[in-house]
Amino acid sequence: MENNTISKHTSFYAIGLNYKKADAEMRGKFSIDAQSKSNLLQQAKIEGIESLIVTSTCNRTEIYGFAQHPFQLIKLLCENSKGTVEDFQKVAYVYKNQEAISHLFKVGTGLDSQILGDFEIISQIKIAFTESKALDLANSFMERLVNAVIQASKRIKTDTEISSGATSVSFASVQYIMKNVENIGEKNILLFGTGKIGRNTCENLVKHSKNEHITLINRTKDKAEKLAGKLNLIVKDYADLHIELQKADVLVVATGAQNPTIDKAILNLKKPLLILDLSIPKNVNINVNELENVTLVHLDDLSQITDETLENRKQHIPAAEAIIEEIKDEFTAWMNGRKYAPTIHALKAKLNTIKEKELTFQRKKLSNFDEEQAELISNRIIQKITNHFANHLKDEETMVDESIDWIQKVFQIEKAK
């Protein structure tokens, strides 16, 4: 495969793991919180990584970036998470160059999401890029690629119905609650954690359940109050969690904690409780299943729920893929242009040097030498020659690297660094 990268010394890689091969426990090992991400980016800068972005969601943890070998990126991931290289080899993937580019397009447009058409990941990619750019870890290639993926995402949302019904993990959780809890509007719902999935779940609950008994608890109370203010909900202190648990009919856990925050020891229940754990790593200890009146559902279970809306989305996949191919082709043309442009400029400079030497020779030899006419003709010839080479390099059938090497050798042009 042709090496479609800016530098010949490095390749563009996508490394990571997702819901397809890694279960929630394994994804939890490789999840990266805000501090770990900051540490990873700083380490990448110290180790001379040219450009990379890092995403970590409930469904996947991935690094996209330039390296001489993918292990440079795998090492960064393992050293800044609880995952090991051995774990990575069992469940992860490594894509290179064009395959890595294609993977990012699929991820950013919801085609690789656990629930088809879930576009929440695109905001994570935007955030990841902004964080890397702030540390000068996002080169022009990465900026152009991320913008192309954002453009594809917007067009697919606008021009297809692949995201109809607003299905996402948070929406699927609300669907599950609505289908499995009778008289949901009269039940006590407790939301513990106000991260992105928690916020989205809460908004969907308010919208679809018409429930006025939703209570929010978050370790940082002001975050819960900000969300509650928008939705006119109740906020309780973190210290009141054990009391509110006894009142709840439904508990939605969506915290960013690295260890379980709910286990059977704090559940002194007198009535049935449905628990939805929307966290990665899991925030509800599996030992709650030992309590006979507890039903525990994890987000991986929710993603397997297929309804008519989700099935209908599949017929829109070809239209989405066509949009991706169109925008990806535009990106590839830009990328190849960046690759051969320095050589074309160098070729033109070389031809101009030859021209100047020949014009100087003719000036001395010919007494009636028409310098203006000679300059005009030779410049037109140089432009036509460079255009021929540029058109050759633009051709889809051209092996760009080999052609660039040939031009550099024939015209004795110093290789671009």
Side-chain angles (χ1 to χ4, degrees), residues 13 53 59 68 84 284 308 328 399:
Y13 291 101
I53 62 173
N59 291 331
Q68 293 174 326
T84 65
V284 180
E308 192 177 339
K328 195 168 65 172
M399 298 295 286

Side-chain angles (χ1 to χ4, degrees), residues 119-173:
F119 282 91
E120 290 182 5
I121 183 66
I122 195 65
S123 63
Q124 300 285 344
I125 292 171
K126 289 178 186 176
I127 292 167
F129 175 77
T130 301
E131 291 169 340
S132 291
K133 190 171 184 179
L135 292 171
D136 293 323
L137 279 168
N139 59 15
S140 56
F141 173 98
M142 190 73 79
E143 183 160 14
R144 184 83 176 214
L145 176 57
V146 169
N147 283 336
V149 173
I150 292 169
Q151 182 188 355
S153 174
K154 286 179 180 176
R155 273 195 53 191
I156 289 170
K157 285 181 79 172
T158 303
D159 299 351
T160 77
E161 295 180 31
I162 204 163
S163 62
S164 60
T167 298
S168 62
V169 170
S170 54
F171 186 71
S173 65

